[in-house]
Amino acid sequence: MNIADDKLIINGQEISSRLFVGTGKFASNELMKSAIEASGAEIVTVALRRVDIDNKNDDMLSAIDSDKYLLLPNTSGARDSAEAIRLARLARAASGINWLKLEVTPDPYYLLPDPIETLKAAEVLVKEGFVVLPYINADPVLAKRLEEVGTATVMPLAAPIGTNRGLSTRDAIEIIIDQANVPVVVDAGIGLPSHAADAMEMGADAVLVNTAIATAADPVMMAQAFKLATEAGRIAYKTGAAAESKMAVASSPLTGFLRDE
Amino acid sequence: MSKLKINGKEKDFSHKIPSCLSELLELLEVDGATVVAEIDGEIIERSKFETTKLQEGQSIELIRFVGGG
């Protein structure tokens, strides 16, 4: 299999990388720019916030080449469907982009997504022509319900946002992957390249990583490590794992030993 | 009384409020090219910043993209 021929398709659009990256928490725009480049990602998430009138910072968007990357605005900060819908419309007005990472997280401690509000918002936004990529808990029933209302993907969490704890929802994600007819993007909680590889080996279509790259000692090197891990996991999944065995199966010949029997 | 509510905070313009959104952004030294605005909950397209007149007491939200995951 040639990895170049193994394309991810979302909403009919070919996406060149199965690693999506977030742009939060980078120490500088320069570092963010270099890390995104090293990650090989095409899909890059951004958030919407009020302009700080008293402290006008540089515009981070100027550091992202919009010809090269597909910006994926999120609705972070939304506590219910109405707030998410408002943010979605603002994001579209600001960027002209109708792709959206839908997230509704009323709980400030674990930032767990509200399934009911997410589904409600998804229904409205799909009808308004948004390409909706919903961030959800790893709930296979919810994933199917979202797919039925027309979301372009489902994005179950591995662990709560920013926790770097890896695939704590493994069993449920396996079911989601098994049942999904839309791409499954494992989002949130992926802390190491091995977690990304693990998700890809299980058959996830993509992974979304932010904190693990942005807060690494060297975000550019870590971005590269995630790129390689995501690709490795995907190739392994497409190849199919070799059989497991309880007993040892020698790799070297069991004949011709240098001894007399 | 020459007040607008901007991003949740009342702002007093000593003589009169700016005539349009573009003028407001200029006054606040905010680059309009990267901003989206809402007036009393209604989204204003960037192309309409110059033609959108402001009235006293309106609530204006100025929003832009920031880093996020």
Side-chain angles (χ1 to χ4, degrees), chain A residues 29-40:
Chain A
N29 282 347
E30 271 310 300
L31 202 53
M32 176 189 75
K33 188 179 174 183
S34 304
I36 294 173
E37 201 160 322
S39 76

Side-chain angles (χ1 to χ4, degrees), chain B residues 5-22:
Chain B
K5 198 173 187 183
I6 298 168
N7 287 357
K9 282 186 195 161
E10 286 232 320
K11 190 166 171 66
D12 206 340
F13 297 85
S14 48
H15 300 298
K16 67 181 188 63
I17 60 167
S19 66
C20 64
L21 264 179
S22 295

